[in-house]
Amino acid sequence: MRVMAQMAMVMNLDKCIGCHTCSVTCKQAWTNRSGVEYVWFNNVETRPGQGYPRRYEDQETWRGGWALNRRGRLKLKGGGRLRKLLTIFANPKLPAIQDYYEPWTYDYETLTNAPLQEHTPVARPKSLLTGEDMKVSWSANWDDDLGGPPDRDVLLAGIADKVKFEFERTFMFYLPRICEHCLNPSCAASCPSGAIYKRTEDGIVLVDQDRCRGWRMCVSGCPYKKVYFNHRTGKAEKCTFCFPRVEVGIPTVCSETCVGRLRYIGLMLYDADAVLEAASVPSSQDLYEAQRGVFLDPSAPEVVTAAERAGIPRDWIEAAQRSPVHALITKYRVALPLHPEYRTMPMVWYIPPLSPVVDVVRDTGYDAEDRSNLFAAIEALRIPVDYLAQLFTAGDPAPVDAVLRKLAAMRSYMRDLTMGRDPDDSIPAAVGMTGEQIHDMYRLLALAKYDERYVIPPAHAEQAHSLEELATSCSLDYEGGPGMGGSGPFGESSGGPQPIAVENFQMLRDRQTADSLSGRVNLLNWDGRGKPEGLFPPRRSEEPPGSDGAS
Amino acid sequence: MPELDDALVGTRRFFTRGEVSADHRALFQIGGRQADTFYRDRWSHDKVVRSTHGVNCTGSCSWKVYVKDGIITWEAQQTDYPSVGPDRPEYEPRGCPRGAAFSWYTYSPTRVRYPYVRGVLLEMYREARQRLGDPVAAWAEIVGDPVKARAYKSVRGKGGLVRATWDEATEMIAAAHVHTIKTYGPDRLAGFSPIPAMSMVSHAAGARFYNLLGGAMLSFYDWYADLPVASPQVFGDQTDVPESGDWWDAGYLVMWGSNLPVTRTPDAHWMAEARYRGQKVVAVAPDYADNVKFADEWLAPAPGTDGALAMAMGHVVLKEFFVERHVAYFLDYVRRYTDLPFLVTLDDGRPGKMLTAADLGQDVENAAFKTVVLDAGGTPVVPNGSLGFRYGETGEGRWNLDLGDLSPLLSAAGGDVAEVELPRFDAPGGSVGTIRRGVPVRQVAGRTVTTVFDLLLAQYGVARPGLPGEWPSGYDDADSPYTPAWQETVTGVPGPTAARIAREFAANAEESRGRSMIIMGAGANHWFHSDTIYRSFLTLTTLTGCQGVNGGGWAHYVGQEKVRPITGYSVLGTASDWTRPGRQMIQTAYWYLHTDQYRYDPFSAATLSVADGFAGRSTADLIAASARMGWMPSVPHFNRNPLDLADEAAAAGEPVADHVVRRLRDGDLRFACEDPDAPENFPRVLTIWRANLLGSSAKGNEYFLRHLLGTDHGVRAKQAPPQARPRDVTWHDEAPTGKLDLLLTLDFRMTSTTVYSDVVLPAATWYEKHDLNTTDMHPFVHSFNPAIAPPWQTRTDWDAFMTIARVFSALAAEHLGTRTDVVAAPLLHDTPDEMANPYGRVMDWKAGECEPIPGRTMPKLVPVERDYAAVADKMASLGPLLDSLGATTKGVTFEVGRELEYLRHKNGVAPNGRPSIARDVDACEAILALSGTTNGHLATQGFRQLERRTGVRLADLAAEHEGKQITFADTQSRPTPVITSPEWSGSEAGGRRYSPFVINVERLKPWHTLTGRQTFFLDHDWIAELGEWLPTYRPPLDMHALFGEPRVGEQGELGITVRYLTPHNKWSIHSEYQDNLFMLSLSRGGQSIWMSTEDAAKIGVRDNDWIEAVNRNGVVAARAIVSHRMPEGTVYMHHAQDRLIDVPRTETNGRRGGIHNSLTRLLIKPTHLIGGYAQLSFAFNYLGPTGNQRDEVTVIRRRSQEVEY
């Protein structure tokens, strides 16, 4: 047993109101820069819908994640080293910018500066890639709230007969997504430069900006399409789990600003030696249980001992014991992984939405709150269980059904208490829980106090140095450092990377507080007029600009 | 960790591993301390400043604004709200995506950085100013010369703004004000800024200036159609609602026309979480709205038919819980807290008037306002608590709901029976029908009377044995209103479902003693007949004993606000410390007349009547009648400068009021509203701040452009034919255009309003000023603080209006001096004025029905001295009227001598010797000190005063905080809980969640109504004229019948006709944020209209196609969003998508496409104009006609996909 600690997240989709506050605060904090205008480390998808980038779940096209080869061994779905080598300069398995979306802005300044003219001034959309006028026809959130035809949802392929897009049978829910910070990250394994790494102490997956050579194999390799290419710096970027915040015990931006109060952050202890086997189980429907099997009980004495031996600090072990993520995944078993069939062992899990529109019960004329009616209704929920199973259990409806029954039981059990009646212990018993457990789960899901949603131990700065020594063969071996070890397959000249350009605030300040358009311009401040130098990257053949990307 | 090294070696290089084995699966590395400095850099910041967003939204979320190197970088929500206790969810982290994107505005290219003036105007002004040497003379020359005036008015909205300095711009503004006051009168000035609660100092800045000038402040709550007129009608209260934390207490929650995740984003979690404690949630929405996702049940009534559903639910509740079974809790509640047991006369087989002590022949004080019940023995008695006890000496200690041993009879049963004729409005085409149903009656004091309860059962069609008339045969009787089956024919909701929801709602209330709640909002309230819709909702919450109970009752959330420190804010905003009364105006009627929309009404006001009282009159005639009878305010007042009127009175040696009455009687003087198109009656100057009238709230937008501004417009409607024109209001053959001389806007971003303005002043944003923020959604007061100083040449509203006031005062010293103004003030609610019209009988002095008596049969006429040179000094200090008169809220007068002394020390003393409020922080301190909610001393003082009137114990509610004074510093450090105060009807005492009317229910304090109880029955003449004595169902207006628009569903060569709704937008708060790049990136990036798959197919529209929507009011060119979540026959153009972002020219008229309100227009419901009678008396934003817009239809078609700009 090799105990490692993983910072993980659970989102309760049953509470998500689809407001996108998480997306906005994340974007404001991290990606409102040139080169990543189209990038949303956190996005929220309306399901059914295509997602962002569109149809990213279609791994037959994008070939992200892992698959088992004929011998039953895990291999990258996108192919091994030879394939990578042959395609290294023209990676074909990459969503084009139109699949994300062509970012745009408007010539706002005309509203103030327009001369006397015949018509009311108007700000027109301008492509942020070409500077040309454009018709906005696709975005990171185009099908929000079921806008546009819903039938291009990848998950419908196998269950089309169970989903009807009629007014009376409408359903929808929201799926907020960040990087999964997988235990078995295919992005990292795909990187020719070894620039993607998983932090020892908390499992956060990061791109080493110095090492990244911009091959974009990680973009292909990630089945969730949560690694992005900064077309200005030529580097990959991705969700960092807000490590500068998490290190000091503050939740990620997306979590702390989550208005639905549906995100939980906590530690999971797992056995690193067991990951490969778990990721290699033959049936994809067994992956959910297999991944749960990798997690360790943080209260078990042998785990504690092993964790201490592995150098995990005591307060981290305590945090793992109090972890709400552990409670939701392991104790109450209401959280499920997103697309376990990708075999990356994702570490952002979801409580499926109950969607309790009980049409069937309603039509019978019985009290819909009655437990037996509620349970009966789950098969007939507005959101088809089969659809949820496509998302969370590789198509197996049983675990989804079990979660929904627990949520329904909680409502039914708690209603008696709320109305001042005697509790009915047969309700929790029907879902294999005790009244006490139901009540504890209720506290976590309903009351969801800040210090119970987020149990984040601060990083141990005193260990930083020793960990650092372990990390690399030479601590000076970074770009521009005296070590200057070779960093690409063909040496330093092969990729032509530029040192990372940090968008610094002095530069922004000059620009933002200026009266007129001058100096460097970016997404934040370009008014759509002219074509300022440095704003647009040189055209790339794989990013044809401006074409109509609508379906 | 040797394994780790292995892992690194194993996978870090391309050639080492493609396949993965046990130890080389992933690359582990300790984290990023070297390689990821970029993200650390980016996260680092210098400081975090508390602020929030100050208008439009009732969220009142506290935010952290991050600042680095003097630049605002981003914002995130504060999480430090005081806890609500261990057993419920907390307020954190209130916020929404719109607010989270606010900082984008700070440095965005749409930011207004400098003062701008319309170039054509500025050139003329500079020339005239140079030549004439006097700003006022220069302004007078330009606006007085038709050619010059036309030259700048006709190019409004067409670009051509040029930069000016603050000095030049404010001089011109001051000159315009001086000239207008001198030439036409101060009541030709109007100010518009909405919803003070969310930034009360910014609002008060301009409001104070205008009130000192004698300009009119325009109402907003009624104008936005957010005012539920049913609230004053039923509760005698503007609006008082539970905080969102109280949803948690409900056992049954109906969301009715209120899409919580979108419109109450920071609060929605309470609903999601309360489900986990077993709360049942029902969504009533015509589309699969965002909130339906959470609902156990979804009822999708046809748009605008919600009242029918509610009436049927009421039918079920009355039948099953009041007739078939007697629920003790409900019966006790309605006896004590509602007008159901009160006696009503029957006149000519119709409901008549409330029986009063006067009818009983009792010679007592205010006898006509003391209503009557029958005691258990059937003897008429006058219980305490009605309006007659609220005023006068003998009512002292008796204005309460304590019935003692009295147990009033709910029904008059036991004597005779009689038939009453009740109107029904459900006929196709909207014609009025009648139903005859019997009620038990008694003879009292020579009159035939019944009870409100008996009438209610008759109205709802709930039969009892032995009563004559037509009654439903059962729930499945679809012909007889208001059965479940009947509603199915109207709404499309299955009858059994409607019945079951009603039953569940009431059963939950029975079991939980009132913890059933209806959250209601714009979807139900923005209709022409919103008051009848809401009365049918309130019947459900009141019958079941849910009002005044935590977790129960109505929860009206649209446009509502709560200036928790209302008394202090009112003093500052109305400048009542210097002059009283202020000039207030109902904005809907103001624009109905001044944008000439009244000229386009081709039907009589009697169209909606069940009687003939309105025959031959137009809506404009009713506005004029309401004004002259003193019901509603009317601005400008007269066709004469009120300053000159006062002079003329003095010259004639008459008191001003006598002089005005004499001349009105002679016909020499007229109310301006009787001739709104005469040039002397135009509004001349309009100042807008914190608002976007022309891009957002202006119903009938194109009429504004045409008549008010005089520029290009999209109006296609024809004016009324001669036979449909007003009778009493003068008709000019030529409709004026360009009435307004100056449109001034203060804003931080470009909007339609700034684009059409003559002068635009650059405003500080919410992250650049000090202010206070409260809401009704949570019980805290918190602050705005500048993260940075106002950049470029921007100024805070407080600073800007101080600047304007100083320039104005200097010019005024020369041109105006000290004058006497005459204010025509309407009869006011919460004052003895509301006893002006006994029995709600209409007495029009102009028709010779009574004498014109100011303050009784016509407005009060109050002389007010205005020292125009001292305006700036007065603005910056608290005036002496506070010392002598105190400060009054809802009838409670606070003595504030001690507070003024405190402010003298806290803020310092102004040169005029008064406490200073020179700075915005001073204003904050003044508001906090002068209000009971933030000053425990005043709260207890007010309650003690109320104890004397009511005779019930109240002061203990605030006693726990008597020594507490919340300071501005408190609000800066953390959101601070407020104190229970007589300014509001709920209680936070002991840390409980706020629910309205808790004090009424628990302490027996009367509601501010005629009976002192919650009101089902309204007996005013004009209510009777429309047949709306009781809750009823009135369908949406028939635009085909009224205006000749095609019928919904009709398809012709111009496209398909659909119902056109404008619900609130997910990507904006009104027009704010809809231009924000983050919100545009997450939405469709410009104006859009949602339509159903079926309708789209009929006209060949695919998702994202350009379409054009056209009706008589205007034209919209937008892109379609096609979705199966939309019902067939209805489209949504989400509210307030301005014309400035990606709006092409239309095919219809070749001009820039309009906004959502280009397809709407104002239509006024006559009953909203009632005044001078009990709870149906005017107060600002409390009662007035609503600017409703939901009943509209439009034709939609696919247009050429080649668009031009």
Side-chain angles (χ1 to χ4, degrees), chain B residues 503-514:
Chain B
R503 197 174 297 125
E504 288 177 6
F505 184 86
N508 179 79
E510 180 184 359
E511 185 181 1
S512 65
R513 295 182 69 83

mmCIF file of all heavy atoms in Angstrom, chain B residues 503-514:
data_model
loop_
_atom_site.group_PDB
_atom_site.id
_atom_site.type_symbol
_atom_site.label_atom_id
_atom_site.label_comp_id
_atom_site.label_asym_id
_atom_site.label_seq_id
_atom_site.Cartn_x
_atom_site.Cartn_y
_atom_site.Cartn_z
ATOM 1 N N ARG B 503 -55.559 21.204 -2.530
ATOM 2 C CA ARG B 503 -55.809 20.391 -1.342
ATOM 3 C C ARG B 503 -54.510 20.195 -0.550
ATOM 4 O O ARG B 503 -54.482 20.346 0.662
ATOM 5 C CB ARG B 503 -56.358 19.037 -1.806
ATOM 6 C CG ARG B 503 -57.046 18.217 -0.776
ATOM 7 C CD ARG B 503 -57.662 16.979 -1.431
ATOM 8 N NE ARG B 503 -58.697 17.307 -2.405
ATOM 9 C CZ ARG B 503 -58.691 16.881 -3.683
ATOM 10 N NH1 ARG B 503 -57.734 16.090 -4.146
ATOM 11 N NH2 ARG B 503 -59.672 17.222 -4.487
ATOM 12 N N GLU B 504 -53.447 19.889 -1.260
ATOM 13 C CA GLU B 504 -52.155 19.696 -0.583
ATOM 14 C C GLU B 504 -51.698 20.980 0.099
ATOM 15 O O GLU B 504 -51.187 20.960 1.221
ATOM 16 C CB GLU B 504 -51.086 19.268 -1.603
ATOM 17 C CG GLU B 504 -51.239 17.850 -2.111
ATOM 18 C CD GLU B 504 -50.197 17.489 -3.167
ATOM 19 O OE1 GLU B 504 -49.292 18.320 -3.413
ATOM 20 O OE2 GLU B 504 -50.305 16.406 -3.749
ATOM 21 N N PHE B 505 -51.875 22.088 -0.606
ATOM 22 C CA PHE B 505 -51.461 23.385 -0.077
ATOM 23 C C PHE B 505 -52.179 23.662 1.248
ATOM 24 O O PHE B 505 -51.565 24.022 2.254
ATOM 25 C CB PHE B 505 -51.788 24.467 -1.111
ATOM 26 C CG PHE B 505 -51.325 25.848 -0.736
ATOM 27 C CD1 PHE B 505 -50.038 26.262 -1.031
ATOM 28 C CD2 PHE B 505 -52.181 26.749 -0.103
ATOM 29 C CE1 PHE B 505 -49.611 27.538 -0.703
ATOM 30 C CE2 PHE B 505 -51.759 28.023 0.237
ATOM 31 C CZ PHE B 505 -50.463 28.421 -0.069
ATOM 32 N N ALA B 506 -53.484 23.470 1.228
ATOM 33 C CA ALA B 506 -54.275 23.764 2.425
ATOM 34 C C ALA B 506 -54.019 22.728 3.523
ATOM 35 O O ALA B 506 -53.933 23.072 4.710
ATOM 36 C CB ALA B 506 -55.757 23.807 2.070
ATOM 37 N N ALA B 507 -53.882 21.464 3.136
ATOM 38 C CA ALA B 507 -53.649 20.429 4.147
ATOM 39 C C ALA B 507 -52.320 20.657 4.855
ATOM 40 O O ALA B 507 -52.192 20.475 6.067
ATOM 41 C CB ALA B 507 -53.678 19.044 3.499
ATOM 42 N N ASN B 508 -51.318 21.064 4.075
ATOM 43 C CA ASN B 508 -50.031 21.375 4.689
ATOM 44 C C ASN B 508 -50.174 22.548 5.656
ATOM 45 O O ASN B 508 -49.599 22.543 6.749
ATOM 46 C CB ASN B 508 -48.994 21.707 3.612
ATOM 47 C CG ASN B 508 -47.637 22.054 4.211
ATOM 48 O OD1 ASN B 508 -46.883 21.171 4.596
ATOM 49 N ND2 ASN B 508 -47.346 23.345 4.333
ATOM 50 N N ALA B 509 -50.945 23.549 5.255
ATOM 51 C CA ALA B 509 -51.144 24.710 6.133
ATOM 52 C C ALA B 509 -51.901 24.306 7.391
ATOM 53 O O ALA B 509 -51.618 24.801 8.488
ATOM 54 C CB ALA B 509 -51.915 25.800 5.388
ATOM 55 N N GLU B 510 -52.842 23.416 7.226
ATOM 56 C CA GLU B 510 -53.604 22.972 8.395
ATOM 57 C C GLU B 510 -52.687 22.252 9.379
ATOM 58 O O GLU B 510 -52.678 22.540 10.568
ATOM 59 C CB GLU B 510 -54.739 22.040 7.952
ATOM 60 C CG GLU B 510 -55.582 21.531 9.103
ATOM 61 C CD GLU B 510 -56.643 20.523 8.664
ATOM 62 O OE1 GLU B 510 -56.726 20.233 7.452
ATOM 63 O OE2 GLU B 510 -57.367 20.029 9.538
ATOM 64 N N GLU B 511 -51.897 21.353 8.848
ATOM 65 C CA GLU B 511 -51.040 20.558 9.728
ATOM 66 C C GLU B 511 -49.927 21.404 10.349
ATOM 67 O O GLU B 511 -49.558 21.210 11.501
ATOM 68 C CB GLU B 511 -50.427 19.388 8.940
ATOM 69 C CG GLU B 511 -49.617 18.444 9.839
ATOM 70 C CD GLU B 511 -48.972 17.288 9.078
ATOM 71 O OE1 GLU B 511 -49.132 17.208 7.847
ATOM 72 O OE2 GLU B 511 -48.295 16.481 9.734
ATOM 73 N N SER B 512 -49.375 22.334 9.561
ATOM 74 C CA SER B 512 -48.219 23.103 10.043
ATOM 75 C C SER B 512 -48.627 24.461 10.604
ATOM 76 O O SER B 512 -47.769 25.259 10.938
ATOM 77 C CB SER B 512 -47.239 23.296 8.884
ATOM 78 O OG SER B 512 -47.835 24.090 7.869
ATOM 79 N N ARG B 513 -49.887 24.737 10.694
ATOM 80 C CA ARG B 513 -50.402 26.029 11.152
ATOM 81 C C ARG B 513 -49.830 27.181 10.345
ATOM 82 O O ARG B 513 -49.204 28.089 10.871
ATOM 83 C CB ARG B 513 -50.171 26.225 12.640
ATOM 84 C CG ARG B 513 -50.947 25.219 13.490
ATOM 85 C CD ARG B 513 -50.745 25.451 14.977
ATOM 86 N NE ARG B 513 -51.359 26.676 15.464
ATOM 87 C CZ ARG B 513 -52.633 26.804 15.811
ATOM 88 N NH1 ARG B 513 -53.441 25.769 15.684
ATOM 89 N NH2 ARG B 513 -53.112 27.946 16.250
ATOM 90 N N GLY B 514 -50.037 27.085 9.032
ATOM 91 C CA GLY B 514 -49.763 28.242 8.176
ATOM 92 C C GLY B 514 -48.443 28.240 7.443
ATOM 93 O O GLY B 514 -48.048 29.278 6.916
#
